[in-house]
DNA sequence: GACCTCCTGGATAGATCAATCTAGTATTGT
DNA sequence: ACAATACTAGATTGATCTATCCAGGAGGTC
């Protein structure tokens, strides 16, 4: 068990990655098992061997996989001790570049499926929820460390999440990165304000309060 | 033609409304024509009589219909001359109530389908884009009237859009209205700041500039 | 009443769907 | 070497999908 997997990806991995990509791009219902088999150069036999729960199990695993990958991406921008305003700026800029480079196809690995299955498949809904919460947890942690009080850190994390997800939706739909750039500027400013960065002087009252809590 | 339609809805209308609801809840690919026929108490014959383009034409029409309905909803909150901060607050509060009342099923009438078809069906993508832009146009207009310069009004409109759409996504996924409330507070504050509302004194520089442009 | 257009009803076709099944080939442990 | 297990292969099944088709009802016009 747990074989070494040196050179090429295992069949299982290929299936999960192909699923994640197809689900993200065309949605859950819009992706056929046949397409997954073809795209992963595997077979029905292999797919149902590794995922006896069928398409839905594959959906859950793909959401977890995409969620995990994206969480690492968030962590790569919001590193420990990094300036959260700079990180926010970079994160949105990076997102805009990726979205544009993939022809407005790849944005959030979860959102498309999450909306589709939110009241259709409870296991998948939960997997999506856990993915989202794991991203929020990273942001909350960094924002707390940067001086926000925990409740405020949660709020700002949620605001940032909403901004980027809404921007992804609008960007993919109108085929322009403008929304990501606008949301990025707004979020960087909001994070700066919440963390007590100068910019606008009297905005600091709330942030100063926060910094007293976490010295 | 254009018959009076006094008491009960026309078959065509019933089909469009059933489609819009089913697409919004379960997505485009996740909704079968059979389900639309059943839910609208019509038949295949009627459906393909009114929509010879089949499911895709129905998708376009449903997006337009949902977009129009929601645009009117936005206009009902952001009435001419209304306080944009109050309107923003009410809008998010209303959204939270609706989302909760429908058991986290009904939020945005466009988003689910928009993400699904963004790089699958060009006619549907365009219909979704037009719906979104029509909402943004309403917000832009009101924000301009409230004293923001046009470019800034567009930005704030986009920020608000992203916030509510992201909040809808997160709310439906984690089954909580918390994100809508957080996003609402943040947006009301941002709108207030952009419009030059006091709250934080020195935030006004940019807004004052804007008010000089539109006296 | 005959005709015409608009709409309804639903059976049916043909494609595609998820999933199963059996037979087979590696790989592993002893 | 042998047996057991892990994985692959893909034809097949029955359900479900979108779309077509045509017979007929409803209502208006001459």
């Amino acid at each position: 068990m747990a074989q070494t997997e040196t050179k090429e990806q295992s069949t299982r991995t290929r299936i999960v990655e192909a699923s994640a990509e197809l689900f993200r791009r065309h949605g859950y219902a819009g992706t056929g098992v046949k397409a997954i088999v073809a795209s992963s150069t595997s077979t029905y036999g292999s797919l149902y061997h590794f995922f006896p729960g069928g398409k839905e199990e594959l959906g859950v695993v793909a959401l977890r996989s995409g969620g995990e990958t994206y969480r690492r991406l968030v962590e790569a921008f919001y590193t420990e001790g990094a300036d959260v305003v700079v990180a926010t700026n970079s994160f949105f800029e990076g997102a805009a570049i990726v979205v544009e480079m993939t022809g407005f196809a790849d944005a959030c690995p979860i959102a498309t499926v999450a909306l589709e299955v939110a009241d259709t498949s409870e296991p998948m809904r939960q997997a999506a929820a856990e993915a989202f919460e794991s991203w929020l947890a990273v942001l909350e942690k960094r924002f707390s460390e940067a001086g926000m009080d925990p409740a405020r850190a949660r709020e700002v994390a949620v605001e940032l999440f909403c901004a980027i997800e809404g921007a992804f939706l609008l960007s993919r739909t109108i085929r322009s990165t403008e929304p990501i750039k606008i949301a990025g500027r707004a979020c960087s400013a909001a994070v700066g304000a919440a963390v007590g960065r100068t910019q606008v002087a009297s905005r600091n009252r709330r942030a100063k309060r926060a910094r007293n809590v976490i010295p």
Side-chain angles (χ1 to χ4, degrees), chain A:
Chain A
M1 63 202 76
Q3 57 206 50
T4 42
E5 198 169 310
T6 44
K7 304 174 185 181
E8 49 193 49
Q9 289 178 315
S10 72
T11 303
R12 205 195 115 100
T13 304
R14 280 191 339 261
I15 292 172
V16 171
E17 293 190 353
S19 302
E21 178 171 328
L22 290 170
F23 288 154
R24 172 177 56 212
R25 293 194 177 191
H26 308 307
Y28 178 74
T31 301
V33 173
K34 198 172 162 185
I36 295 170
V37 165
S39 167
S40 62
T41 52
S42 65
T43 65
Y44 280 87
S46 301
L47 191 148
Y48 282 92
H49 168 74
F50 289 112
F51 307 99
K55 196 185 177 186
E56 190 175 42
E57 182 182 350
L58 204 41
V60 170
V61 173
L63 285 173
R64 279 208 261 264
S65 161
E68 179 76 5
T69 303
Y70 212 80
R71 202 211 67 229
R72 277 197 293 266
L73 183 72
V74 174
E75 279 173 340
F77 281 93
Y78 292 85
T79 50
E80 195 165 353
D83 182 319
V84 286
V85 176
V86 172
T88 302
N89 247 316
S90 307
F91 183 66
F92 278 82
E93 272 170 25
I97 290 168
V98 169
V99 167
E100 185 144 44
M101 275 194 352
T102 59
F104 302 96
D106 283 341
C108 175
I110 311 289
T112 309
V113 178
L115 285 178
E116 253 186 301
V117 303
D119 64 339
T120 283
S121 162
E122 186 57 16
M124 291 180 70
R125 200 217 96 228
Q126 272 179 22
E130 281 160 22
F132 285 162
E133 288 289 4
S134 79
W135 307 348
L136 290 174
V138 172
L139 295 174
E140 267 182 76
K141 184 146 181 287
R142 294 294 174 244
F143 290 160
S144 287
E145 290 166 359
M148 301 185 208
D149 80 49
R152 183 71 188 134
R154 165 82 184 174
E155 281 183 15
V156 177
V158 169
E159 288 166 24
L160 194 151
F161 175 96
C162 293
I164 188 83
E165 287 291 352
F168 278 155
L169 166 64
L170 189 53
S171 276
R172 287 194 64 195
T173 305
I174 68 174
R175 295 195 162 265
S176 155
T177 56
E178 181 215 24
I180 301 176
K181 287 169 187 164
I182 292 175
R185 280 197 295 272
C187 266
S188 301
V191 169
V195 107
R197 190 68 49 79
T198 64
Q199 190 172 11
V200 175
S202 60
R203 217 188 245 171
N204 289 0
R205 278 171 300 140
R206 193 199 277 123
K208 271 188 188 145
R209 229 189 302 125
R211 267 181 302 182
N212 290 341
V213 173
I214 298 183

